[in-house]
């Protein structure tokens, strides 16, 4: 039999051609994966910086500086595996309530690019990778929480400072028609209780400008036992309980019905309460651990209802802004 020798040596050039292709695929697969990882780190840093700066600006007594590059750098570097990023810009606009941060890749030697490995074989040694984020701050326009509302005009909502304003007692006594007196009854037949409008127990969902339905009567919702016990556990363990409450400007109705017009949200640091039944977690007074508590602030018991604490500055992640300034601000990522 004759043996054909015309195809000898063809494997070598084919292997060389295939290796070029394989190297190109390796460059695409490995370098693209590392680029995605780098972008994720940059995005995390930009998000963290924007949120942190917005939170600082929202809590500041004076308008924050517009140039925030130095502040953003620590958060951006802290989210990079090699601790190196370049913050191209970090601008806070106090008027608009926005913070815009843009980050860029940086090598440990200070070069503002991302070094590629396999792509060098096909002539692409570096890539310019960037990420940007915007955070906004303002006064909340919606919320969901403990089903109790406070009056805008009846209570001292300021000064709201990081360490707390006046410790005060917010009280209702049956038969008292107006919040202009010490007892603070604002709507006949109810003490600011709201209908439980959420699927979760002891939660009322409200929004700015809407009329929230009240749950008239002297007794609190029966589904709040777990939440109130959680407040007690936190306080007795040395912690702080801060709860965001809806604030209303007008109330209407009486008897078995009533509504509150919601105009904003305020945060109340809670020291004690008397919500009825004189049993279990529905009554608690923390005189021992807080120097602000005294006999004048104690709830008198019986049919009286009260909550004791102070309005404080607070930053929350509740979505949406547009409410009145009661010391509580909402900070969130916009993009």
């Amino acid at each position: 039999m004759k043996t054909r020798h015309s195809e000898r040596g063809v494997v070598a050039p084919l292997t060389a051609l295939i290796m070029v292709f394989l190297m190109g695929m390796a460059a695409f697969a490995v370098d693209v994966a590392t680029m995605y990882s780098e972008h994720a780190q940059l995005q995390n840093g930009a998000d963290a910086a924007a949120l942190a700066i917005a939170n600082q600006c929202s809590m500041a007594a004076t308008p924050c500086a517009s140039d925030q590059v130095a502040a953003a750098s620590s958060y951006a570097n802290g989210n990079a595996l090699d601790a190196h990023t370049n913050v191209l810009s970090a601008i806070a606009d106090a008027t608009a309530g926005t913070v815009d941060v843009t980050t860029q890749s940086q090598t440990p030697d200070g070069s503002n690019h991302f070094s590629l490995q396999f792509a060098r074989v096909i002539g692409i040694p570096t890539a310019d990778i960037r990420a940007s984020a915007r955070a906004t701050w303002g006064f909340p326009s919606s919320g969901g929480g403990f089903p109790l509302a406070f009056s805008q005009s009846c209570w001292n909502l300021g000064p709201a400072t990081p360490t707390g304003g006046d410790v005060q007692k917010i009280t209702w006594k049956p038969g008292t028609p107006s919040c202009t007196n010490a007892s603070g009854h604002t709507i006949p037949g109810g003490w600011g209780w709201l209908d439980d409008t959420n699927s979760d127990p002891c939660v009322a969902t409200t929004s700015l400008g809407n009329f929230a339905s009240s749950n008239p009567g002297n007794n609190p919702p029966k589904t709040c036992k777990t939440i109130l016990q959680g407040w007690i556990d936190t306080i007795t363990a040395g912690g702080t309980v801060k709860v965001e409450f809806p604030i209303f400007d007008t109330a209407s109705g009486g008897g078995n019905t009533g509504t509150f017009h919601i105009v904003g949200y305020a945060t109340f640091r809670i020291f004690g309460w008397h919500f009825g039944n004189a049993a279990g977690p529905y009554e608690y007074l923390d005189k021992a651990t807080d120097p602000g508590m005294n006999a004048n602030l104690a709830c008198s018991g019986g049919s009286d209802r009260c909550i004791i604490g102070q309005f404080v500055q607070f930053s929350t992640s509740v979505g949406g802004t547009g409410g009145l300034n009661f010391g509580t601000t909402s900070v969130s990522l916009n993009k």
Side-chain angles (χ1 to χ4, degrees):
M1 297 178 62
K2 291 184 178 181
T3 302
R4 295 180 180 273
H5 303 289
S6 59
E7 294 183 2
R8 284 183 176 180
V10 73
V11 173
L14 284 175
T15 301
L17 291 173
I18 292 173
M19 285 299 296
V20 173
F21 174 76
L22 291 176
M23 290 296 292
M25 290 301 295
F28 179 81
V30 176
D31 284 336
V32 168
T34 56
M35 289 169 66
Y36 269 108
S37 175
E38 178 71 9
H39 184 269
Q41 296 170 51
L42 289 172
Q43 190 64 62
N44 287 340
D47 291 347
L51 284 172
I53 294 170
N55 185 67
Q56 292 168 0
C57 289
S58 71
M59 301 292 284
T62 58
C64 57
S66 59
D67 187 356
Q68 295 283 343
V69 170
S73 295
S74 62
Y75 295 98
N77 293 337
N79 280 273
L81 293 178
D82 60 1
H84 285 83
T85 60
N86 177 37
V87 177
L88 291 171
S89 63
I91 303 299
D93 186 337
T95 301
T98 60
V99 176
D100 291 284
V101 176
T102 301
T103 57
Q104 180 187 38
S105 292
Q106 186 180 78
T107 61
D109 64 5
S111 299
N112 295 324
H113 62 252
F114 180 71
S115 296
L116 302 174
Q117 301 301 321
F118 288 96
R120 293 176 180 273
V121 177
I122 56 177
I124 307 176
T126 63
D128 184 11
I129 305 177
R130 304 183 182 191
S132 61
R134 167 176 285 187
T136 60
W137 79 86
F139 308 114
S141 62
S142 61
F146 193 76
L148 180 64
F150 292 156
S151 167
Q152 175 186 5
S153 60
C154 298
W155 321 116
N156 177 18
L157 303 184
T161 66
T163 55
D166 297 334
V167 177
Q168 54 195 296
K169 176 172 62 175
I170 296 178
T171 305
W172 172 66
K173 179 181 290 186
T176 305
S178 172
C179 68
T180 57
N181 54 47
S183 65
H185 181 198
T186 59
I187 179 170
W191 182 64
W193 294 118
L194 300 175
D195 286 333
D196 191 334
T197 57
N198 195 290
S199 58
D200 296 326
C202 196
V203 173
T205 300
T206 56
S207 60
L208 186 68
N210 289 332
F211 287 85
S213 298
S214 72
N215 184 0
N218 202 28
N219 293 324
K222 296 180 180 180
T223 57
C224 294
K225 184 176 181 178
T226 300
I227 288 180
L228 294 176
Q229 186 60 54
W231 292 1
I232 294 174
D233 294 343
T234 298
I235 294 173
T236 54
T240 300
V241 175
K242 295 180 180 180
V243 180
E244 182 183 315
F245 291 98
I247 305 300
F248 62 89
D249 60 351
T250 59
S252 61
N256 295 322
T257 61
T259 59
F260 300 113
H261 182 246
I262 306 302
V263 293
Y265 296 82
T267 300
F268 199 65
R269 180 185 176 185
I270 298 173
F271 297 141
W273 59 88
H274 176 73
F275 291 150
N277 303 327
Y282 285 91
E283 182 175 355
Y284 177 75
L285 188 58
D286 181 31
K287 283 186 177 182
T289 61
D290 192 278
M293 299 300 297
N294 54 59
N296 293 329
L297 288 173
C299 301
S300 59
S303 60
D304 286 1
R305 300 291 178 260
C306 77
I307 187 168
I308 306 165
Q310 57 193 169
F311 289 104
V312 296
Q313 274 194 329
F314 191 68
S315 178
T316 179
S317 59
V318 173
T321 57
L324 297 181
N325 180 8
F326 297 122
T328 298
T329 55
S330 174
V331 177
S332 60
L333 283 175
N334 185 267
K335 64 176 183 178

